[in-house]
Amino acid sequence: GGSGVYFKNTNVTGLRQGARLNECFFNGNNIGYTADISAEYITLSNCYFQYNNIGVIVRAGNNSFSGGSISDNYTTGVKIEGATLNPLYVNDGHGMFTGVLINHNKNTGAYTSGYNLHVDGITLGYTFSGCHFYDSKIYLKNCVGITFTACHLAFIAIDLQGSLGTMVNGCTLY
């Protein structure tokens, strides 16, 4: 509960054009943005998520994020959940984050650790291109086809548990 914006069952057919959110600010929510079951083809451009418990939760396919920042959230910046975790999330993943800063999602408020990215049970992949992940953890559990291309992965721990086909292409790691 307590999501700044919440989508579920968007019933997008035909041209596959869902909602578009541009230049939005999500601050001080339990969850900044939630794409729940069947919330498909939603595009977020240049949106900012800060001081939420969780910045973004995605449980549906075909969501796209470009630009903006998901930083300084208390426990998790981006949480993506799929069918292996919950069979109701049948059309999981196959979305993308392009040029998004996903930084410092930890050590604020009463919490001592957190995740920039927490992915659990994705069966249809996810793409991160040109994103910066700085100063927090990346956790991939029971995932297939998570791809990082031309990303900066700086001062982070990456924990892979049962993940297949994870690709890191042309990224800077330090």
Side-chain angles (χ1 to χ4, degrees):
S3 194
V5 172
Y6 178 90
F7 286 100
K8 183 176 180 178
N9 297 322
T10 52
N11 297 318
V12 176
T13 60
L15 296 176
R16 308 277 188 231
Q17 296 180 2
R20 289 175 176 78
L21 303 173
N22 301 302
E23 301 288 335
C24 298
F25 292 85
F26 299 86
N27 296 303
N29 301 286
N30 183 36
I31 303 163
Y33 167 81
T34 302
D36 213 339
I37 300 166
S38 297
E40 302 266 342
Y41 292 96
I42 299 169
T43 301
L44 289 89
S45 300
N46 298 316
C47 292
Y48 296 85
F49 302 83
Q50 190 174 32
Y51 306 125
N52 302 288
N53 186 32
I54 299 171
V56 171
I57 291 182
V58 179
R59 297 177 177 137
N62 302 299
N63 278 260
S64 175
F65 297 78
S66 64
S69 176
I70 303 169
S71 298
D72 295 312
N73 294 286
Y74 299 126
T75 62
T76 306
V78 177
K79 188 172 194 173
I80 304 171
E81 299 176 328
T84 304
L85 178 66
N86 185 331
L88 294 176
Y89 309 153
V90 294
N91 194 34
D92 67 27
H94 60 286
M96 66 182 69
F97 283 79
T98 305
V100 180
L101 301 173
I102 305 172
N103 300 325
H104 306 291
N105 292 291
K106 66 162 196 156
N107 291 333
T108 50
Y111 302 98
T112 58
S113 65
Y115 299 97
N116 278 330
L117 176 63
H118 184 282
V119 184
D120 195 346
I122 292 297
T123 61
L124 300 174
Y126 226 95
T127 301
F128 297 87
S129 179
C131 295
H132 284 220
F133 295 87
Y134 184 82
D135 195 29
S136 193
K137 295 179 257 182
I138 292 177
Y139 178 71
L140 307 178
K141 181 179 179 185
N142 299 325
C143 299
V144 176
I146 307 299
T147 303
F148 299 90
T149 302
C151 294
H152 282 257
L153 307 170
F155 302 106
I156 61 170
I158 301 173
D159 186 358
L160 304 173
Q161 295 187 14
S163 296
L164 302 172
T166 300
M167 296 177 61
V168 179
N169 304 308
C171 294
T172 302
L173 292 91
Y174 57 96

